[in-house]
mmCIF file of all heavy atoms in Angstrom:
data_model
loop_
_atom_site.group_PDB
_atom_site.id
_atom_site.type_symbol
_atom_site.label_atom_id
_atom_site.label_comp_id
_atom_site.label_asym_id
_atom_site.label_seq_id
_atom_site.Cartn_x
_atom_site.Cartn_y
_atom_site.Cartn_z
ATOM 1 N N SER A 14 11.391 -9.173 2.874
ATOM 2 C CA SER A 14 10.882 -7.820 2.966
ATOM 3 C C SER A 14 11.620 -6.901 1.997
ATOM 4 O O SER A 14 12.725 -7.189 1.555
ATOM 5 C CB SER A 14 11.006 -7.285 4.385
ATOM 6 O OG SER A 14 12.368 -7.124 4.725
ATOM 7 N N ALA A 15 10.968 -5.830 1.687
ATOM 8 C CA ALA A 15 11.539 -4.748 0.908
ATOM 9 C C ALA A 15 10.847 -3.476 1.383
ATOM 10 O O ALA A 15 9.773 -3.527 1.984
ATOM 11 C CB ALA A 15 11.305 -4.961 -0.586
ATOM 12 N N SER A 16 11.457 -2.325 1.122
ATOM 13 C CA SER A 16 10.842 -1.075 1.552
ATOM 14 C C SER A 16 10.989 -0.022 0.466
ATOM 15 O O SER A 16 11.847 -0.124 -0.415
ATOM 16 C CB SER A 16 11.478 -0.585 2.865
ATOM 17 O OG SER A 16 12.862 -0.359 2.672
ATOM 18 N N ALA A 17 10.119 0.975 0.533
ATOM 19 C CA ALA A 17 10.172 2.089 -0.390
ATOM 20 C C ALA A 17 9.789 3.347 0.336
ATOM 21 O O ALA A 17 9.027 3.340 1.298
ATOM 22 C CB ALA A 17 9.218 1.850 -1.574
ATOM 23 N N MET A 30 13.923 2.570 -3.284
ATOM 24 C CA MET A 30 13.469 1.232 -2.900
ATOM 25 C C MET A 30 14.682 0.449 -2.429
ATOM 26 O O MET A 30 15.795 0.628 -2.939
ATOM 27 C CB MET A 30 12.822 0.518 -4.088
ATOM 28 C CG MET A 30 11.536 1.158 -4.527
ATOM 29 S SD MET A 30 10.691 0.234 -5.825
ATOM 30 C CE MET A 30 11.408 0.957 -7.279
ATOM 31 N N ARG A 31 14.457 -0.429 -1.461
ATOM 32 C CA ARG A 31 15.560 -1.198 -0.895
ATOM 33 C C ARG A 31 15.073 -2.607 -0.595
ATOM 34 O O ARG A 31 14.003 -2.796 -0.028
ATOM 35 C CB ARG A 31 16.027 -0.530 0.401
ATOM 36 C CG ARG A 31 17.184 -1.207 1.078
ATOM 37 C CD ARG A 31 17.574 -0.422 2.334
ATOM 38 N NE ARG A 31 18.874 -0.767 2.825
ATOM 39 C CZ ARG A 31 19.179 -1.877 3.456
ATOM 40 N NH1 ARG A 31 18.266 -2.789 3.655
ATOM 41 N NH2 ARG A 31 20.409 -2.100 3.897
ATOM 42 N N LEU A 32 15.882 -3.568 -0.964
ATOM 43 C CA LEU A 32 15.599 -4.947 -0.585
ATOM 44 C C LEU A 32 16.019 -5.151 0.861
ATOM 45 O O LEU A 32 17.025 -4.617 1.303
ATOM 46 C CB LEU A 32 16.356 -5.931 -1.484
ATOM 47 C CG LEU A 32 16.059 -5.840 -2.973
ATOM 48 C CD1 LEU A 32 16.804 -6.943 -3.712
ATOM 49 C CD2 LEU A 32 14.569 -5.940 -3.255
ATOM 50 N N GLY A 33 15.255 -5.946 1.580
ATOM 51 C CA GLY A 33 15.541 -6.195 2.983
ATOM 52 C C GLY A 33 16.915 -6.797 3.217
ATOM 53 O O GLY A 33 17.537 -6.560 4.234
ATOM 54 N N SER A 34 17.412 -7.553 2.254
ATOM 55 C CA SER A 34 18.738 -8.177 2.377
ATOM 56 C C SER A 34 19.863 -7.169 2.200
ATOM 57 O O SER A 34 21.015 -7.461 2.523
ATOM 58 C CB SER A 34 18.891 -9.261 1.320
ATOM 59 O OG SER A 34 18.913 -8.669 0.006
ATOM 60 N N GLY A 35 19.533 -5.980 1.656
ATOM 61 C CA GLY A 35 20.550 -4.989 1.373
ATOM 62 C C GLY A 35 21.251 -5.214 0.032
ATOM 63 O O GLY A 35 22.127 -4.459 -0.348
ATOM 64 N N ALA A 36 20.824 -6.244 -0.719
ATOM 65 C CA ALA A 36 21.490 -6.555 -1.977
ATOM 66 C C ALA A 36 21.199 -5.525 -3.079
ATOM 67 O O ALA A 36 21.915 -5.445 -4.048
ATOM 68 C CB ALA A 36 21.049 -7.935 -2.458
ATOM 69 N N PHE A 37 20.135 -4.736 -2.891
ATOM 70 C CA PHE A 37 19.797 -3.722 -3.897
ATOM 71 C C PHE A 37 19.153 -2.531 -3.226
ATOM 72 O O PHE A 37 18.282 -2.660 -2.376
ATOM 73 C CB PHE A 37 18.816 -4.285 -4.941
ATOM 74 C CG PHE A 37 18.271 -3.242 -5.867
ATOM 75 C CD1 PHE A 37 18.994 -2.811 -6.963
ATOM 76 C CD2 PHE A 37 17.034 -2.660 -5.630
ATOM 77 C CE1 PHE A 37 18.490 -1.816 -7.793
ATOM 78 C CE2 PHE A 37 16.518 -1.672 -6.463
ATOM 79 C CZ PHE A 37 17.255 -1.256 -7.553
ATOM 80 N N THR A 38 19.601 -1.362 -3.621
ATOM 81 C CA THR A 38 18.954 -0.094 -3.290
ATOM 82 C C THR A 38 18.932 0.724 -4.567
ATOM 83 O O THR A 38 19.969 0.823 -5.234
ATOM 84 C CB THR A 38 19.708 0.664 -2.188
ATOM 85 O OG1 THR A 38 19.736 -0.136 -1.009
ATOM 86 C CG2 THR A 38 19.057 1.992 -1.873
ATOM 87 N N GLY A 39 17.790 1.280 -4.895
ATOM 88 C CA GLY A 39 17.722 2.055 -6.137
ATOM 89 C C GLY A 39 16.728 3.193 -6.047
ATOM 90 O O GLY A 39 15.760 3.137 -5.301
ATOM 91 N N LEU A 58 11.278 -4.421 -11.037
ATOM 92 C CA LEU A 58 11.534 -5.333 -9.933
ATOM 93 C C LEU A 58 10.592 -6.538 -9.961
ATOM 94 O O LEU A 58 10.999 -7.667 -9.667
ATOM 95 C CB LEU A 58 11.451 -4.591 -8.599
ATOM 96 C CG LEU A 58 12.498 -3.487 -8.427
ATOM 97 C CD1 LEU A 58 12.245 -2.693 -7.148
ATOM 98 C CD2 LEU A 58 13.903 -4.045 -8.432
#
Side-chain angles (χ1 to χ4, degrees):
S14 67
S16 60
M30 293 186 270
R31 182 178 196 287
L32 300 184
S34 66
F37 171 81
T38 299
L58 297 174

